[in-house]
Amino acid sequence: MATVRVIAGPHHRLALPADPAWIRVLVPKGYAGAYLLLQGHTPIYVGRSDCCLRRRLCQHEKLAEASHLVWEPCHDPLRAFYLEAFWYDQLNHLPSMRNQIHPARPDGRDEPCPFCSVNAQAVKGVLPAWPAHAKAT
């Protein structure tokens, strides 16, 4: 299975195969982080781990439904929540998304989602959009 390059504006990420063997090699152990599961180029699930992203991904109940994944390590659980919430708020309108509930805040934190009240047009002006077929409306 080959990697798929996901391009968003001037930035790009490599999506790795959604396979525990790849995850164990490429995702460092013991880091908080957020992830996006994909079927081809289509986002299907957004999530995070507040303590070990590698373990969460290897044991994920939807991993078998995904062909690839994109992940981002974070310095702390709050940053992982912010990234997960951003991806969720930008992608939850897609029919392919399987998330049913907005991401929960990390234990012991009461910061609200900073993206729920943000106008989608304002976000598009600041950050690169997802591929054209998945842009927020």
Side-chain angles (χ1 to χ4, degrees):
M1 196 181 294
T3 58
V4 174
R5 199 167 94 175
V6 177
I7 299 173
H11 308 286
H12 69 275
R13 296 198 186 278
L14 291 178
L16 62 108
D19 180 305
W22 282 82
I23 294 166
R24 281 190 288 276
V25 170
L26 296 172
V27 178
K29 188 176 182 180
Y31 283 87
Y35 59 89
L36 178 59
L37 299 180
L38 307 163
Q39 281 182 341
H41 291 277
T42 305
I44 61 168
Y45 193 86
V46 172
R48 78 169 192 272
S49 172
D50 291 342
C51 58
C52 186
L53 186 58
R54 179 198 291 180
R55 183 175 55 240
R56 173 69 178 129
L57 287 169
C58 284
Q59 298 173 352
H60 201 284
E61 63 278 1
K62 297 198 182 304
L63 190 64
E65 298 174 34
S67 63
H68 293 82
L69 65 96
V70 174
W71 61 277
E72 181 75 29
C74 297
H75 294 290
D76 59 60
L78 184 60
R79 295 289 178 206
F81 164 65
Y82 287 159
L83 182 55
E84 178 193 25
F86 172 76
W87 281 345
Y88 176 85
D89 287 345
Q90 293 303 301
L91 301 171
N92 74 343
H93 70 283
L94 298 174
S96 61
M97 288 298 288
R98 304 213 172 100
N99 295 73
Q100 299 297 311
I101 308 170
H102 190 281
R105 293 183 289 252
D107 288 342
R109 304 305 296 242
D110 61 358
E111 290 86 347
C113 173
F115 307 108
C116 285
S117 62
V118 175
N119 176 304
Q121 294 300 321
V123 171
K124 282 190 217 177
V126 175
L127 298 170
W130 195 255
H133 68 279
K135 286 185 181 176
T137 56

